[in-house]
Amino acid sequence: MNAGGGRGVAALTGAICAIAVVVYASSLPRDPVSLLMSPAASGYPAAARPATPTQPAAPQVDLSVVVWPRGPGHARHAWALKCPPMTAACRAAMRRSLALAQDDHGPCRRMRPRMPEAFISGYVNGRHVATWIDQRDGCGVTRWRSLKGLLEQPPVPRPSAPAATAERTRTTS
Amino acid sequence: MAISEVVGSRGAALRRIVDSRGVPVVHRSSRELAAMAMVDDGSAVDADDEWLAVQRAVHALLAREWPAVLVPVSEVSLGTPGFADRLDDLADHHALRPACIWVKATSSGALLAAPETTEQLARGHLVGVRLDVAHGFRDRALLPDLAALGVSFAWIDPPDGHTVVDDLSGLIVGRSLVRRAQALGMAVIAPAELDGDMVPPTTQ
């Protein structure tokens, strides 16, 4: 009798654990990239993460972006991007943080004049990035497209846009 | 502050600079002249770490009475607000004369992403840029912009971490980089194989 009762308790405990695992798994992000890069990957919801009381929270995105729309040697646009507040460019940076973290994809000595290039440096979710992006081959074009929301931010902020989305704007030739 | 000097392989180049100008090279990991050929771009991703390296280099300069010191600096430091002020303060604090600190940026993009910082640095120090032959066409196109910001020396590396430029296209691109930098009045520190067929440097 006792042995049978023990088996019943064990089976009940196992069932509860299984349900708990299923519930926990269903609460996780489905995208493996966000599992790696999201602040929620630490196990805390973003709002519930313990904050250091003495230091303000670091911005989730803190990037310098320089774009040469007509290629290096021509006019360049540069701006800084800090998030929050969350904007489309911020979401693009966070969603494509792995694309940002990629290094150059190999030597590329062919010169195709007036092809857009960009240099992005800073932090996304605490991860350092510093990378060149160009459109000189298929990989570069794919990467550029994946980061389009970040790279094609208007160089001059709209009056109604939050100031933090483009703290510094500079166009030089 | 432009210097017109073309030197050979990195180690020999630096030795020649040391011989002619008494300029030693300090890297945050090596700090020693013997390791100067190993000077490369830092992989630090922490501004505090890089600042410590700068301080260490300056202290080594003072302790050994070197006339100048070279420190690699990445986009992390260049993008940190107040970096140029801190460097100026450090130089003032130790009463270093102008051009005592050679700042070598890890890439052209790092300098162009922080143009105000670059200009401020160039007013009190020698600012240079590390160029990679693998991306020579891009960097060659950017050299005029860099020169306009006050960048005064070009540190040219073989492609992708190799020790020499060993293919024809690399030689062509590398020598083209050297000539463009020279034409803009920059000092050039380049592998020996890029020395050939160079235009003699002009004196300023």
Side-chain angles (χ1 to χ4, degrees):
Chain A
M1 288 289 286
N2 285 342
R7 277 197 296 275
V9 169
L12 183 61
T13 307
I16 291 171
C17 289
I19 291 168
V21 167
V22 168
V23 169
Y24 175 71
S26 64
S27 71
L28 290 175
R30 292 172 192 277
D31 178 8
V33 171
S34 61
L35 270 175
L36 284 173
M37 304 298 297
S38 161
S42 62
Y44 293 101
R49 271 177 293 138
T52 309
T54 53
Q55 289 184 339
Q60 288 173 289
V61 175
D62 185 359
L63 293 174
S64 291
V65 184
V66 188
V67 179
W68 290 264
R70 295 172 61 213
H74 298 276
R76 68 180 185 272
H77 304 302
W79 65 90
L81 179 69
K82 283 191 182 182
C83 321
M86 296 303 290
T87 61
C90 295
R91 284 190 286 275
M94 294 180 69
R95 197 168 53 240
R96 301 293 180 181
S97 51
L98 283 185
L100 275 174
Q102 275 180 355
D103 203 350
D104 283 356
H105 40 80
C108 195
R109 299 197 183 111
R110 286 179 296 115
M111 182 65 170
R112 291 170 63 186
R114 302 197 175 188
M115 291 300 288
E117 289 208 29
F119 178 76
I120 302 173
S121 60
Y123 294 89
V124 178
N125 285 337
R127 180 173 181 166
H128 175 249
V129 294
T131 188
W132 286 95
I133 303 174
D134 60 49
Q135 298 187 31
R136 280 181 284 195
D137 55 27
C139 297
V141 170
T142 303
R143 198 166 164 230
W144 187 285
R145 284 179 181 162
S146 76
L147 292 163
K148 195 173 175 181
L150 171 63
L151 293 169
E152 298 191 354
Q153 174 174 323
V156 178
R158 295 169 192 157
S160 58
T165 59
E167 289 196 334
R168 170 172 54 85
T169 301
R170 180 178 167 125
T171 302
T172 54
S173 54
Chain B
M1 285 190 188
I3 304 165
S4 287
E5 182 175 22
V6 178
V7 285
S9 69
R10 281 178 296 171
L14 292 164
R15 273 192 291 280
R16 231 191 289 181
I17 290 178
V18 171
D19 291 343
S20 63
R21 299 173 184 276
V23 180
V25 174
V26 172
H27 186 236
R28 60 173 162 271
S29 59
S30 64
R31 297 190 301 155
E32 293 299 330
L33 198 60
M36 61 191 182
M38 298 299 292
V39 169
D40 204 350
D41 299 311
S43 56
V45 293
D46 185 310
D48 292 337
D49 184 34
E50 289 204 344
W51 180 246
L52 278 176
V54 171
Q55 289 179 304
R56 214 160 48 212
V58 169
H59 289 152
L61 175 147
L62 293 166
R64 301 182 184 204
E65 297 183 342
W66 287 336
V69 70
L70 186 148
V71 287
V73 170
S74 77
E75 67 285 337
V76 174
S77 292
L78 292 167
T80 302
F83 173 73
D85 290 332
R86 289 175 86 186
L87 197 62
D88 288 344
D89 290 345
L90 185 68
D92 290 345
H93 178 73
H94 294 294
L96 300 180
R97 64 175 172 75
C100 263
I101 299 176
W102 292 32
V103 177
K104 186 188 81 166
T106 50
S107 76
S108 49
L111 290 169
L112 291 167
E116 293 90 354
T117 303
T118 302
E119 283 178 314
Q120 187 180 344
L121 285 172
R123 284 195 287 272
H125 316 282
L126 280 174
V127 177
V129 59
R130 182 240 179 202
L131 307 174
D132 190 325
V133 168
H135 305 288
F137 278 121
R138 175 182 67 207
D139 283 334
R140 190 184 67 171
L142 295 176
L143 276 172
D145 287 352
L146 293 165
L149 293 177
V151 174
S152 55
F153 69 93
W155 177 292
I156 302 174
D157 275 342
D160 300 323
H162 293 176
T163 52
V164 293
V165 182
D166 53 6
D167 66 320
L168 184 59
S169 61
L171 287 170
I172 292 170
V173 174
R175 289 179 182 177
S176 171
L177 262 180
V178 169
R179 279 196 291 270
R180 177 68 67 91
Q182 275 187 302
L184 292 164
M186 291 183 182
V188 177
I189 301 169
E193 56 273 21
L194 300 184
D195 261 340
D197 195 27
M198 284 183 180
V199 178
T202 55
T203 50
Q204 298 281 310

